[in-house]
Amino acid sequence: MKVFWDPDCLLHDPPYEILSGDKLPYFESPARLQLVKKALERNPLLFECEVVSFESSSHGRDITRYIELVHSREYLSYLSNAYDEWVRSGASTVAVLPETFPHPKLLPAPTQTDVGSLSPFAQAGYYCFDLSCPITKTTYSSAIASVGVALSAARELAAASGPHGPQTGVFALCRPPGHHAGTSLCGGYCFFNNVAVAARFLQSLSSARAERHRIAILDIDYHHGNGSKSLPLALRFSLQVKHTDSRIAQEIFYSDPSVLYSSLHAVDDYPYFTGAVTEKGVGEGMNANFNYPLPRGTEDSDYCAALLEATENIRKFDPGYLLVSVGVDTFSNDPQGDFKLSHSCYTAIGEIIADLGKPTLFVMEGGYHMETLGENFRAVLEEFQE
Ligand code: SP5
Ligand code: ZN
């Protein structure tokens, strides 16, 4: 199995985050990536790690062109300049971290065109929803590299299988992760939505066809992937805005029937406001969204039962590619999660996913128990050895 990574993904290394009222060392550390890579390399017959820079490849197209299939140009431009603007305005040289957020109750929010003229402090809150996404001097480079890793892996999958082709598995060792990032929004350690950009990239390869081919995203991180697909917050709060209103975050695939999203995640846990079973999509995208909120303390058997249900829906959808947002923060000892999955459950998860028989791209999301995360990722992937 080919594993893609990029050393630039190690650059993003904020010294702290603000979590549940405490100032804590940054959970989403570069060491995570190194531990997973090491666990995979321990069996070189199964795993082949590649250092790939998407931009320098023969494909030759600028990475940001693909990012713009998902994220707004304004957001990209903000992230690329935010640290420098922040420091120039006399604020901390450690990182950009918001002071205020444009809370839904403060709407009407400034229009998109107003935002560029706001102070760096206002912009920091406008483009971010929590205090776990400090933008340091190196953050933008790492976030770009992380998307590049997902794109390189997606390109490999397209070459090796093609849509509806033979089952192949590839793994994108992405860091920072992506599934909490929306069109113009960072949060939950995520800046660009790696899996979403990979999905649009794969669809763009068949743009000559009248219809985009179908992609399924299976999200097995402990947390709901609010960025990938969710009801925009302003609509949840029943504010007087339409889902097409450019002032609100248009969470990426919510109205898109060509991308099925299916997520298993904890109920009543971060990010709290999204991930209910009642979120089924909107407009043409209605019924292309399946949420499986699971209670605290969920164990192997209940988890696998829900996963089997989720994969049944994916089978019916018959996607050309399967993209898996894979996190192992569902493990019993994970410091950010409250599920009780055992190590052997990750082998079972890998088998259930493999049973779908699809060309499959795994994209790394969360997992914070340093002693086990490498082996747990490896267990998921081992079913896809070649
Ligand atoms: C990619 C990813 O896994 N991002 C997750 C970020 C979640 N960080 C906040 C965790 C909040 C933990 N507080 C839980 C209190 C009740 N259990
Ligand atoms: Zn997570």
Side-chain angles (χ1 to χ4, degrees):
M1 171 180 223
K2 283 196 178 158
V3 175
F4 293 81
W5 83 296
D6 186 322
D8 282 359
C9 289
L10 300 168
L11 296 173
H12 171 63
D13 190 13
Y16 59 82
E17 65 185 293
I18 309 291
L19 194 57
S20 312
D22 291 315
K23 181 176 176 178
L24 299 172
Y26 204 61
F27 273 94
E28 202 286 285
S29 65
R32 294 178 63 246
L33 178 51
Q34 278 163 323
L35 286 169
V36 178
K37 184 164 175 284
K38 247 184 231 147
L40 301 184
E41 283 169 342
R42 226 166 275 148
N43 193 341
L45 290 176
L46 303 184
F47 295 104
E48 178 185 336
C49 286
E50 293 194 352
V51 182
V52 190
S53 165
F54 191 81
E55 279 175 277
S56 64
S57 72
S58 56
H59 208 269
R61 288 181 71 184
D62 182 12
I63 222 168
T64 58
R65 289 188 58 175
Y66 293 112
I67 295 180
E68 283 179 17
L69 297 175
V70 164
H71 296 281
S72 70
R73 187 166 293 182
E74 290 77 10
Y75 177 62
L76 249 161
S77 153
Y78 165 73
L79 282 183
S80 68
N81 296 318
Y83 179 81
D84 289 345
E85 291 292 325
W86 189 256
V87 172
R88 199 172 299 140
S89 73
S92 166
T93 54
V94 174
V96 177
L97 210 54
E99 293 180 348
T100 64
F101 299 95
H103 193 275
K105 290 176 191 161
L106 295 173
L107 283 179
T111 65
Q112 205 69 31
T113 46
D114 288 330
V115 179
S117 61
L118 294 176
S119 86
F121 297 92
Q123 290 193 48
Y126 186 77
Y127 290 113
C128 185
F129 68 83
D130 73 4
L131 298 176
S132 291
C133 272
I135 302 169
T136 67
K137 202 176 173 51
T138 54
T139 299
Y140 183 71
S141 306
S142 271
I144 289 281
S146 194
V147 178
V149 167
L151 286 170
S152 299
R155 185 178 50 198
E156 168 64 26
L157 188 67
S161 289
H164 300 284
Q167 181 172 52
T168 312
V170 294
F171 183 41
L173 251 175
C174 292
R175 178 190 179 266
H179 75 151
H180 295 300
T183 305
S184 304
L185 202 56
C186 61
Y189 310 137
C190 305
F191 297 89
F192 294 126
N193 197 313
N194 305 310
V195 79
V197 178
R200 285 294 188 230
F201 166 73
L202 287 168
Q203 288 186 323
S204 78
L205 297 179
S206 66
S207 57
R209 293 192 206 166
E211 213 177 295
R212 288 170 164 167
H213 54 245
R214 293 182 303 282
I215 304 247
I217 298 177
L218 172 64
D219 191 328
I220 56 170
D221 185 278
Y222 174 81
H223 305 97
H224 179 238
N226 59 288
S228 302
K229 201 151 184 168
S230 72
L231 181 68
L233 200 59
L235 289 179
R236 171 171 300 280
F237 278 70
S238 301
L239 297 165
Q240 298 302 305
V241 288
K242 295 199 168 72
H243 82 276
T244 49
D245 192 316
S246 66
R247 294 174 305 172
I248 61 173
Q250 290 168 38
E251 278 73 1
I252 297 165
F253 298 121
Y254 202 62
S255 58
D256 188 338
S258 72
V259 181
L260 178 112
Y261 178 78
S262 196
S263 175
L264 276 65
H265 52 267
V267 74
D268 288 335
D269 207 330
Y270 183 97
Y272 301 104
F273 299 105
T274 64
V277 280
T278 49
E279 287 177 27
K280 294 185 173 303
V282 72
E284 289 182 1
M286 184 52 108
N287 295 326
N289 194 46
F290 294 90
N291 286 324
Y292 297 89
L294 300 166
R296 294 268 156 83
T298 291
E299 294 178 2
D300 296 3
S301 55
D302 286 347
Y303 191 87
C304 286
L307 184 59
L308 280 167
E309 219 181 301
T311 52
E312 250 346 279
N313 287 319
I314 290 171
R315 212 184 297 277
K316 281 183 211 144
F317 183 71
D318 190 29
Y321 295 104
L322 171 62
L323 276 47
V324 185
S325 268
V326 53
V328 295
D329 36 11
T330 45
F331 185 62
S332 56
N333 291 331
D334 195 281
Q336 301 238 350
D338 271 330
F339 284 175
K340 293 276 167 278
L341 300 201
S342 70
H343 173 68
S344 64
C345 192
Y346 294 98
T347 302
I349 290 170
E351 286 167 1
I352 293 170
I353 293 170
D355 270 351
L356 283 168
K358 298 291 175 190
T360 304
L361 166 60
F362 291 91
V363 178
M364 186 160 97
E365 303 285 1
Y368 309 94
H369 186 250
M370 304 302 265
E371 293 79 4
T372 58
L373 88 163
E375 292 307 319
N376 287 340
F377 273 112
R378 196 159 81 116
V380 175
L381 301 173
E382 243 158 4
E383 196 60 29
F384 286 77
Q385 60 189 272
E386 270 152 30

